[in-house]
Amino acid sequence: MLGALIPLFDSKTQVKAYSIFAQKYNSYINPSILGTGSLDGSGSVLGIDIVESMGLETVADDKNVFVEVTNVSIFSNIDEQFTDSHEKLVLLFDHNVTPTEMYVNKLKELKASGYKLAIRKLQVKQFEEYKSILSLVDFVLLDHKKIDITKAKIYFQKVYPNVSLVAVNVNTQEDYDVLTKDGGYDLYEGKFFRLPVVNSKEDISPMKA
């Protein structure tokens, strides 16, 4: 298994959360596995497997942990996979979790169980379409290279005041310095700095940017 902890910083360079990047296989060595059911997460969520095996406090102390779920794995029995404190686990999904009754009801169920929710890869033109989902999430991850954060901040403060905005694709220290100076985001995903996750039973190697 390949895994990495990606820190999420605030504007003062304090780590406030972690995002777990997990891969069951090394697709760079074995590209033939891509496109198969081995990575669809239909039975379990790899990031949750890491947190559960190591313990939430070991992985991230008292901080939130973002774990990616797919439009398929979101329907797996997450409660059975994760026995730690729900309020510290942030389930991160993308636009493939659509604003249909099936998904909205599932998100409401997860929210009622104490999990936090986050969405990424939404385009500005989709905000209105996804309002039933945006009203449920705690975090929205935005590609800082593709959005006017000044307008986005005004929009979210007015329509979804409880949502925290996260800048993603912050690939260099220079990007981070500029973004924090300009303001607008609550957190910054620092992919320029990744930490290896080490399990007592197996080493989980870092993915290098």
Side-chain angles (χ1 to χ4, degrees):
M1 177 181 289
L2 297 175
L5 282 179
I6 302 172
L8 279 72
F9 298 106
D10 65 8
S11 60
K12 297 180 180 179
T13 327
Q14 298 295 311
V15 178
K16 294 298 182 180
Y18 289 100
S19 179
I20 290 185
F21 175 85
Q23 256 184 279
K24 192 171 185 179
Y25 304 101
N26 190 339
S27 59
Y28 296 102
I29 297 175
N30 300 299
S32 61
I33 65 171
L34 294 178
T36 71
S38 61
L39 293 178
D40 66 7
S42 57
S44 63
V45 180
L46 293 181
I48 291 179
D49 287 346
I50 292 175
V51 178
E52 181 69 10
S53 64
M54 297 178 64
L56 187 61
E57 289 189 4
T58 300
V59 173
D61 196 13
D62 62 343
K63 299 174 179 62
N64 287 327
V65 177
F66 286 68
V67 173
E68 186 172 355
V69 293
T70 68
N71 61 320
V72 176
S73 65
I74 198 169
F75 290 104
S76 64
N77 195 328
I78 293 175
D79 281 345
E80 283 189 358
Q81 299 172 55
F82 187 69
T83 59
D84 216 318
S85 177
H86 289 186
E87 62 266 20
K88 291 297 183 182
L89 192 68
V90 183
L91 302 175
L92 171 62
F93 51 90
D94 64 17
H95 61 285
N96 288 309
V97 172
T98 57
T100 57
E101 182 178 2
M102 175 178 67
Y103 283 115
V104 171
N105 287 342
K106 182 60 180 180
L107 293 174
K108 288 180 178 178
E109 176 188 319
L110 292 167
K111 190 83 170 179
S113 294
Y115 299 105
K116 290 186 175 72
L117 304 175
I119 189 168
R120 64 188 181 97
K121 292 188 177 180
L122 270 190
Q123 299 180 37
V124 173
K125 64 182 180 181
Q126 295 176 296
F127 286 173
E128 182 64 22
E129 177 189 355
Y130 277 73
K131 61 183 180 181
S132 58
I133 289 180
L134 289 173
S135 65
L136 295 172
V137 301
D138 302 277
F139 302 90
V140 174
L141 280 66
L142 301 172
D143 188 336
H144 71 93
K145 298 177 181 178
K146 298 180 179 180
I147 196 164
D148 183 336
I149 186 55
T150 302
K151 294 179 180 178
K153 182 179 180 181
I154 294 172
Y155 173 80
F156 278 96
Q157 285 181 339
K158 180 179 179 180
V159 184
Y160 308 105
N162 296 320
V163 169
S164 296
L165 301 181
V166 183
V168 301
N169 290 330
V170 184
N171 295 321
T172 67
Q173 182 69 50
E174 290 72 21
D175 283 344
Y176 173 76
D177 291 341
V178 170
L179 289 170
T180 53
K181 181 180 179 180
D182 293 343
Y185 293 101
D186 299 287
L187 294 173
Y188 305 82
E189 187 180 72
K191 291 186 178 180
F192 57 91
F193 182 61
R194 295 185 174 190
L195 301 175
V197 182
V198 180
N199 189 318
S200 59
K201 295 183 179 179
E202 60 177 325
D203 290 340
I204 304 173
S205 303
M207 291 292 293
K208 295 182 179 179

